[in-house]
Amino acid sequence: MMENNIVVIGAGVSGLTTALLLAKDPWNKVTVVAKHMPGDYDIEYTSPWAGADYHPFAKAGTPEATYEHETWQHLANLAENVPEAGIHFQKSHTYIRNKDLEIESSKKFGDSASSSPWWKDTVPDFRILSPDELPKGIDGGTEFTSVCINTTLYLPYLVGQCRKHGVVVKRQIISHVREASGHHHTFNKADVVINCTGLMASKLGGVNDQSVIPARGQIVVVRNDPNMQAACSGTDNGNDELCYYMCRASGGGTVIGGSYQLGNWESQPDPNLALRIMKRAVELNPALVDGKGVEGLSIIRHAVGLRPYRAQGVRLEKEKIKGVGWVVHNYGHAGYGYQASYGCSQAVVKLVDGIIESKARL
Ligand code: FAD
């Protein structure tokens, strides 16, 4: 058997998870090249800014729903058995306001608005909340056990796991996808290049996918601990604003969101939006601040991340590009990059195995 030289572009959750799963096959020799690495905070690098929790929004029967379903067990296993991954279980409430259900933007809440979503048997402890458990202004809701990922711990954990499996990680800016095949650590040309460039797939030469646009997410990270997570179907402040909070594992703080502003590249937090985000969270859960209002929040930082949104969903397919050879794309995960990470990466491994097999038959 021959060794397979693989270059992965990108060290976000998609690139690192893909590299790790590929490297579990000892015949695969994997190099990760990326402009940004865990530890960096940059507006072109989405993964560090995420909450991140597991709360499927995909429609039933779509590939994204399959990827999310397949990912749960991996994240649950990390939460249960691998403390150094920085993931913990957390009770999660989904709150529905009837007035949101007809609004187009709340459709991105997907099946979550239903009392019987497709994922109710994927996660543990799913149940419908009784009226006396609902906050003021909420018409219905559900509860399940989710996970919350401390991304500042989890991304370095993934790098460590990659290194343990022989992956070589290099800092490199790639202008055109064809350059990537020359960056394998053995100095041989890569047999396959994996494109995990997220939002920046829109600017990568040879790809230039203009259908990937930012879905701007502004957040406030606070020290207050609600000991649970929650998301509401809508807000009274416009269709591109959200209301949710989640508490990261191991001192990662509570992330309060948010917004979902399509096409907006602004990297700096908007102070007025920040105030609305905080007000909505303390109104939804006054216990977050012991009834003290917004002043009761102990702020760690205000922040903005850009989700790599693609109207047609994640691009997960192989493409033969002139001067490169086979490229497998895995980008455009919008707000579900963590909760679909293992499902998507497994799909990449299948595509790569198919390419290698067909090469071997030639
Ligand atoms: P990125 O993390 O952006 O990584 C891209 C990588 O490619 C980087 O290393 C970059 O440097 C590299 N790269 C790009 N172009 C080049 C180039 N030309 N040359 C070299 N390297 C290049 N998801 C969830 O599942 N659950 C959540 O609760 C959740 N909450 C979120 C909250 C917010 C506020 C935000 C902003 C996002 C949230 N997400 C959540 C979404 C999630 O963060 C993204 O889907 C995910 O991080 C995308 O990861 P990625 O690896 O595809 O892209």
Side-chain angles (χ1 to χ4, degrees):
M1 259 181 105
M2 296 274 286
E3 290 181 343
N4 312 309
N5 296 326
I6 301 169
V7 170
V8 177
I9 319 174
V13 67
S14 308
L16 293 173
T17 314
T18 302
L20 176 59
L21 297 199
L22 284 166
K24 289 195 172 176
D25 177 342
W27 291 101
N28 290 339
K29 302 297 164 198
V30 183
T31 308
V32 170
V33 292
K35 183 175 176 184
H36 303 99
M37 294 285 170
D40 298 343
Y41 283 91
D42 192 283
I43 200 64
E44 292 180 5
Y45 183 32
T46 310
S47 294
W49 306 108
D53 72 350
Y54 182 92
H55 191 160
F57 296 113
K59 290 200 181 82
T62 58
E64 285 78 9
T66 305
Y67 303 141
E68 289 181 331
H69 172 75
E70 289 172 352
T71 299
W72 168 257
Q73 212 43 56
H74 295 271
L75 296 179
N77 177 51
L78 290 169
E80 191 150 352
N81 301 312
V82 188
E84 62 271 31
I87 302 180
H88 66 177
F89 289 112
Q90 193 160 67
K91 185 171 74 178
S92 178
H93 280 187
T94 307
Y95 297 131
I96 305 301
R97 308 184 317 167
N98 290 341
K99 62 181 168 185
D100 295 327
L101 296 181
E102 293 312 311
I103 298 172
E104 188 55 36
S105 71
S106 69
K107 295 204 175 122
K108 66 177 172 294
F109 222 57
D111 239 27
S112 280
S114 146
S115 56
S116 183
W118 62 261
W119 44 268
K120 75 177 168 43
D121 298 321
T122 303
V123 294
D125 311 321
F126 184 89
R127 71 179 181 95
I128 296 168
L129 293 169
S130 61
D132 61 326
E133 294 175 288
L134 300 175
K136 204 168 130 225
I138 300 297
D139 300 304
T142 53
E143 179 182 280
F144 66 100
T145 297
S146 180
V147 289
C148 189
I149 303 168
N150 183 344
T151 61
T152 63
L153 300 181
Y154 184 57
L155 293 169
Y157 163 80
L158 284 177
V159 174
Q161 288 300 301
C162 282
R163 283 169 54 81
K164 194 172 160 185
H165 287 83
V167 176
V168 175
V169 183
K170 298 202 292 187
R171 182 83 75 155
Q172 197 75 46
I173 298 177
I174 306 292
S175 308
H176 191 286
V177 69
R178 95 169 70 84
E179 288 169 30
S181 49
H183 282 291
H184 196 266
H185 62 271
T186 59
F187 302 107
N188 294 316
K189 185 173 180 288
D191 298 299
V192 189
V193 171
I194 319 290
N195 173 20
C196 298
T197 51
L199 178 60
M200 301 317 286
S202 58
K203 306 221 164 126
L204 177 65
V207 177
N208 294 111
D209 184 347
Q210 297 306 303
S211 68
V212 204
I213 60 167
R216 181 178 181 276
Q218 183 166 324
I219 53 170
V220 187
V221 188
V222 299
R223 294 183 182 84
N224 310 61
D225 182 357
N227 199 25
M228 61 172 289
Q229 58 198 46
C232 186
S233 56
T235 78
D236 293 332
N237 303 116
N239 295 344
D240 58 2
E241 296 198 15
L242 307 174
C243 179
Y244 64 86
Y245 57 83
M246 64 188 76
C247 187
R248 286 170 162 180
S250 299
T254 295
V255 175
I256 304 179
S259 65
Y260 203 90
Q261 298 163 308
L262 291 177
N264 186 338
W265 287 84
E266 177 56 57
S267 64
Q268 297 308 303
D270 167 355
N272 291 319
L273 173 55
L275 191 57
R276 292 196 295 277
I277 288 171
M278 293 188 285
K279 273 176 100 166
R280 289 192 294 254
V282 302
E283 271 167 25
L284 189 66
N285 186 354
L288 190 60
V289 286
D290 292 329
K292 290 187 196 128
V294 167
E295 291 76 16
L297 289 172
S298 172
I299 297 169
I300 301 169
R301 63 178 169 273
H302 295 274
V304 174
L306 303 180
R307 303 172 184 90
Y309 173 83
R310 216 169 158 260
Q312 59 275 55
V314 61
R315 184 172 184 203
L316 219 168
E317 61 185 5
K318 60 180 184 178
E319 182 187 11
K320 201 155 199 182
I321 298 184
K322 207 168 163 223
V324 189
W326 283 110
V327 175
V328 176
H329 301 284
N330 180 17
Y331 65 82
H333 304 80
Y336 50 87
Y338 284 85
Q339 65 197 30
S341 55
Y342 284 87
C344 289
S345 300
Q346 284 166 188
V348 172
V349 171
K350 273 193 201 141
L351 288 169
V352 170
D353 286 350
I355 291 168
I356 304 281
E357 264 174 47
S358 61
K359 275 194 166 180
R361 279 200 301 272
L362 287 179

